[in-house]
Amino acid sequence: MKYFLGLKKKPTAIFAATDEMAIGAIHSIQDEGYKVPDDFSIISVDNIRMASMVRPQLTTVAQPMYDLGAVAMRLLTKLMKKENVDNPRVILPHETILRLSVSHVNE
């Protein structure tokens, strides 16, 4: 986040790979006197418990973590047994949890 804050032309939005990284980004932004979401919108992935506790609350993508592991294990087991895998691409349900870290332009 320090890199982005140091740019002459700063981004208006940040997508973090994890909620923990996004929370760190929020803290860095606030430490430098900027505001989320007024100056930077932040979104990430995981929907950990802290996402709803940080201020502003973090917009995040919730994923079915148990199902991710179960499907991955089933595919891995089939591959290890040299069984046929009809469709190795599996799309599991996910949901964007809209909270206060993103500027809502079209409200």
Side-chain angles (χ1 to χ4, degrees), residues 75-104:
L75 287 171
L76 180 60
T77 301
K78 282 186 173 196
L79 290 170
M80 289 170 53
K81 291 181 177 181
K82 301 198 185 314
E83 294 177 9
N84 186 33
V85 175
D86 296 326
N87 188 4
R89 183 177 175 180
V90 178
I91 299 173
L92 296 172
H94 56 279
E95 176 185 8
T96 302
I97 310 295
L98 293 175
R99 295 193 181 109
L100 302 175
S101 67
V102 171
S103 178
H104 301 279

Side-chain angles (χ1 to χ4, degrees), residues 25-49:
I26 288 172
H27 290 162
S28 292
I29 289 165
Q30 292 169 339
D31 288 349
E32 294 298 318
Y34 294 102
K35 294 186 183 204
V36 175
D38 297 345
D39 300 310
F40 297 91
S41 288
I42 306 282
I43 187 170
S44 64
V45 178
D46 287 334
N47 195 33
I48 64 171
R49 202 165 152 219

Side-chain angles (χ1 to χ4, degrees), residues 63-77 90 92:
Q63 303 179 89
M65 298 308 287
Y66 176 84
D67 294 340
L68 282 170
V71 169
M73 194 61 219
R74 266 187 253 129
L75 287 171
L76 180 60
T77 301
V90 178
L92 296 172

Side-chain angles (χ1 to χ4, degrees), residues 3-14 34 39-40:
Y3 168 79
F4 293 117
L5 290 170
L7 294 174
K8 205 175 257 192
K9 185 172 178 166
K10 294 170 182 44
T12 59
I14 302 292
Y34 294 102
D39 300 310
F40 297 91

